[in-house]
Amino acid sequence: MALIGRENELAVLKSRVDSSAKGKGRLVFLKGEAGMGKTRLLSELRSYCDASGITFLQGRCYSASFPYSPWTEAINDFVRRTDAQTLTSLCQGPAVEITSLIPSLVTIIGASPKKNMGLKEWVGGPKTLLPSPAVGASGTSAEDAGRLALFEGVTQFFLNLSKKKPVVLVLEDLQHADNATIIMLRYMTRHIFEHRLLIVGTFREEELDQSHQLSQLVRDFEKEALSDTVKLDALSREAVLQFVRDLTGRTEHLEEVADTLYSTTRGNPFFVVETVRSLTEQDIIKKDSVDYGRLRSTALPSSVRALLRQRLERLEPECVELIGLASIIGPDFDQEVLLGASGLPEASVLNHLETGLKVGLIRERPVHRGFRLEFADPRLRRIVQDDVSTIRKRKLHNKIAECLEKTYSENLNEHLEEISYHYVESGNAKKAIQFLLLAAQRAASTHAYDEAIRHYRSVMELSEDPSVDKQAADRIEALQQLIEAWRRTLQKAAEMITIDDYSSVAERYDANYVPLFEPLARRVVEMAELHEGESVLDVGTGTGLAAFLAAKLVGPTGRVLGVDLSDGMLSVATKKSRDSQYRNMEFKKMDETSLELPDNSFDAVISNLGLSRYNVDMGFKETYRVLKPGGTLVFSEWTNKRDPFSPVLREILDKHKTRNPSPLLAGTREAETSFFQFYERVTDRSVLKRMLTDMGFQKVLSSIVEHKSVRTTPDHSLKIIQSHPFLAPELVEMSPEDREAFMREFAQAIAPAFTPTGLVLDWELNYFKAYK
Ligand SMILES: Nc1ncnc2c1ncn2[C@@H]1O[C@H](COP(=O)(O)OP(=O)(O)OP(=O)(O)O)[C@@H](O)[C@H]1O
Ligand SMILES: [Mg+2]
């Protein structure tokens, strides 16, 4: 059937495609309730893309699916129809990271499989006994820098692809999306603005609650104007009339039919199609006439639910039972699995499925090498599911899990979530644990930590079950520690400024803020008196300023490791190092108060305003541990002399800052508050000196140095504020009016202090040097 109505929505989508094809990439959401025609509209868009030589890729989210499913589906589909040479060229550079998501690419492009850091190494600290072989045995990466590399890799893959031809990437049914999918979307959206890539994400609005990661993303992006939303509303009365005409193939006056349909279906296309089908089945709409008498006297189902119920009632009990079983499998299911789990002869299963298809309860969805079946409407699945008794459900879940295991034995990796879901629901704790651990391991290997934690939590709950043996319980204890360590690291990362939300801040920080610190970093590196071949650790490296200076001095035989907690900063640092001539440096996300590094391994530890203020003793202790005997620690820190404009800035900020901070901004504020709580302590030279000596450092020296820091114009000052780790997030979340007022008022307040040569701030810093 031709597309009816939706001219405006289609025009908007086409114009987005056109402008993205000209290098103005963007994210567009297409939202609407179930059956409103999102998928239908996109198939129209696909034809448009095909005709315009635009690559169209599509992937979908499922409930209980593995992390990143829409991404993998879209990429896999593309991989299958593309030759090895093209794929190899698309996976150049950072894009090769995509292989950790799509392992089949490794053999196609002839890349060497990546060796990732093990879970154990990542968690570090006490030598946790990890459950084996499920977790920690193979090289899974849980390092957050690895996650960034993956995001960057996937993004780069699409950008490489978009250099050949413009790309439209559709991610369907995001209401089922896992967190990893959303975080990846968050990341990628910020990197496509100047590229020929349009991302379209669809979701059912009514199924999204406020706490869903997607809701948060939509809110954030709307605030920042990073995405547009197209909403599919109900069809107009005219469109419903056209539907009736097209569906019945007739052109006579069908206004009355259309009116009846419009008022019962309230313009939902799926509902319209199904009601017309019903009326035709009941012979109310006939080949050449309409039985108006019966049309008026028949009570039409007033909801999709009622309509579907009516339809079910007309089916044979065995058929309804089979559909009930399918509903337990999931929103979509494989015919083989259904056959296996039903225990019915193949012929009857086929028969019932045909009936289901014919009466529009289920539909076929083409997938690679065949098709899957799915419920035509989510409400139908719920109806039949509710009709299955709890006892029967448990049994069915177990049977389904076994069938899934058998059916997908060659390809278990993509079905671990599904299988563990069914074992959990069946009450088979042992099996559930087995698959949850595998699912967690796989999730962690692709940096989908939220999912991994969720699986581990379920494992812990299930371990209470008496059927789980004692030995396993010990492992669970270890797991508990693992989760805790993980959670802390993640939380910490969220408190700091993370790339996911503030990557643009990191880039601005690098452009505007870092140059101000360059003289300071130079002094630190000079004081460290580095030699060729030495190993250096740069703590709180930020975007890598001191690390770069050090890398130059230690030369190709030396090595520099920069560590930081901020993903955003690290990503900029990593990018810069890739673009530079230095191959002797590396950046990693690490907490300086628990460095995952061996004892006695560095000749020097340097830090330019990067030492932890929160837990400075622990920072010193760790530094001492990783330094070789005789190694040097050099760092800079502020004195307690404050910038005279700070109070003015605070006052104006307090007036304009948002009262509804996102969790991330709330975390930043907290981090800032505690930063200033500790400020007194870390700016006091004698306190730091004593700490260093107590820790075992020798020959502790310190000196105060003044630097002149120049702001050329008030505008320059504003730029710096916009790049400040604590202030920039405030600006991001201010309303546009407040942001503008804030900038204006601050510029006015400082303007009088400017002379033609600018404004000179006297910075005062403490420099420390100590030996192990
Ligand atoms: N504008 C339209 N013109 C013709 N047919 C349409 C139109 N909109 C929807 N349909 C038909 O209505 C039915 C439901 O549409 P579709 O599957 O696209 O809905 P959806 O919004 O994707 O729903 P879901 O959220 O369940 O995925 C399909 O049979 C589709 O072909
Ligand atoms: Mg759809």
Side-chain angles (χ1 to χ4, degrees), residues 525 538 541 544-552 560-562 585-587 606:
V525 174
D538 180 17
T541 188
L545 177 58
F548 276 91
L549 298 171
K552 199 169 160 182
V560 180
L561 171 66
M585 60 196 314
E586 204 184 342
F587 293 95
I606 56 174

Side-chain angles (χ1 to χ4, degrees), residues 15 42 56 83 305 354 368 394 458 491 622 626 697:
S15 80
L42 288 175
F56 188 95
D83 62 88
R305 209 182 153 86
E354 264 167 19
H368 172 56
R394 277 172 78 113
S458 311
Q491 212 170 25
E622 280 292 88
V626 301
F697 280 101

Side-chain angles (χ1 to χ4, degrees), residues 319-558:
C319 181
V320 177
E321 207 168 291
L322 189 76
I323 292 184
L325 170 63
S327 77
I328 307 292
I329 302 180
D332 60 272
F333 50 93
D334 188 291
Q335 192 177 314
E336 283 300 307
V337 176
L338 182 68
L339 181 65
S342 73
L344 292 173
E346 187 165 2
S348 359
V349 170
L350 287 180
N351 252 339
H352 295 320
L353 285 178
E354 264 167 19
T355 311
L357 284 164
K358 206 167 93 211
V359 300
L361 292 175
I362 52 180
R363 60 189 178 201
E364 284 180 355
R365 206 172 72 82
V367 289
H368 172 56
R369 278 197 237 122
F371 64 90
R372 271 174 91 83
L373 295 160
E374 68 180 1
F375 283 89
D377 189 280
R379 284 157 285 200
L380 168 66
R381 177 169 173 244
R382 252 168 268 143
I383 298 171
V384 279
Q385 216 174 3
D386 290 349
D387 285 348
V388 184
S389 74
T390 317
I391 306 177
R392 219 171 100 71
K393 257 187 207 152
R394 277 172 78 113
K395 278 216 150 112
L396 290 179
H397 278 300
N398 201 56
K399 227 170 180 185
I400 293 166
E402 284 169 6
C403 285
L404 284 168
E405 238 188 289
K406 244 207 287 179
T407 312
Y408 298 124
S409 59
E410 309 260 291
N411 181 23
L412 272 184
N413 253 348
E414 291 192 359
H415 299 274
L416 298 169
E417 278 77 5
E418 248 175 294
I419 298 172
S420 50
Y421 161 76
H422 286 293
Y423 276 130
V424 170
E425 294 295 315
S426 74
N428 187 340
K430 252 173 136 168
K431 277 288 208 175
I433 289 179
Q434 179 195 336
F435 280 94
L436 280 167
L437 288 175
L438 289 169
Q441 185 192 22
R442 190 184 126 98
S445 78
T446 53
H447 316 287
Y449 303 127
D450 291 338
E451 274 66 33
I453 288 179
R454 200 160 43 78
H455 297 321
Y456 282 140
R457 288 233 162 95
S458 311
V459 169
M460 284 167 54
E461 277 165 30
L462 288 169
S463 66
E464 313 265 308
D465 194 287
S467 72
V468 178
D469 66 36
K470 280 281 142 296
Q471 220 185 355
D474 288 349
R475 294 180 190 161
I476 300 308
E477 175 73 36
L479 256 187
Q480 168 82 54
Q481 289 176 26
L482 171 71
I483 294 177
E484 271 309 302
W486 226 340
R487 207 182 44 77
R488 272 200 307 273
T489 309
L490 288 179
Q491 212 170 25
K492 215 164 208 161
E495 273 171 18
M496 308 309 280
I497 301 144
T498 72
I499 182 72
D500 301 343
D501 292 80
Y502 293 107
S503 63
S504 54
V505 172
E507 272 157 33
R508 262 184 271 141
Y509 174 87
D510 191 54
N512 299 316
Y513 225 79
V514 167
L516 304 178
F517 292 134
E518 184 149 352
L520 286 57
R522 281 195 186 285
R523 179 173 287 267
V524 167
V525 174
E526 266 165 33
M527 282 174 66
E529 295 176 274
L530 300 172
H531 300 102
E532 275 216 26
E534 284 185 336
S535 56
V536 182
L537 174 69
D538 180 17
V539 175
T541 188
T543 56
L545 177 58
F548 276 91
L549 298 171
K552 199 169 160 182
L553 293 174
V554 298
T557 53

Side-chain angles (χ1 to χ4, degrees), residues 4-15:
I4 298 167
R6 308 293 186 216
E7 290 81 11
N8 295 339
E9 292 89 347
L10 183 60
V12 172
L13 289 177
K14 281 184 180 170
S15 80

Side-chain angles (χ1 to χ4, degrees), residues 28 117 160 204 235 251 368 438 558 593 657 737 739:
V28 179
M117 195 197 246
N160 288 348
R204 292 181 190 147
L235 295 171
T251 52
H368 172 56
L438 289 169
T593 60
K657 68 184 182 190
E737 301 78 48
R739 196 177 309 139

Side-chain angles (χ1 to χ4, degrees), residues 144-213:
D144 230 38
R147 172 161 84 159
L148 257 169
L150 172 68
F151 292 171
E152 201 192 341
V154 175
T155 305
Q156 199 55 54
F157 176 84
F158 281 105
L159 297 186
N160 288 348
L161 185 60
S162 75
K163 282 181 193 131
K164 296 183 191 276
K165 274 195 216 170
V167 178
V168 171
L169 168 66
V170 171
L171 306 172
E172 270 250 69
D173 300 331
L174 287 172
Q175 73 273 5
H176 294 311
D178 55 285
N179 287 348
T181 288
I182 300 294
I183 299 174
M184 174 103 85
L185 179 59
R186 216 175 245 278
Y187 179 89
M188 196 181 286
T189 303
R190 292 185 188 276
H191 292 82
I192 60 173
F193 299 130
E194 276 148 30
H195 299 272
R196 301 194 297 171
L197 174 59
L198 179 75
I199 305 179
V200 183
T202 74
F203 62 91
R204 292 181 190 147
E205 205 179 5
E206 75 277 14
E207 286 184 26
L208 214 59
D209 62 58
Q210 284 302 301
S211 60
H212 195 289
Q213 287 255 354

Side-chain angles (χ1 to χ4, degrees), residues 688-705:
L688 289 187
K689 260 186 152 169
R690 204 173 41 243
M691 268 190 213
L692 287 165
T693 321
D694 288 351
M695 212 57 78
F697 280 101
Q698 295 173 14
K699 294 193 268 177
V700 180
L701 302 168
S702 79
S703 54
I704 295 186
V705 178

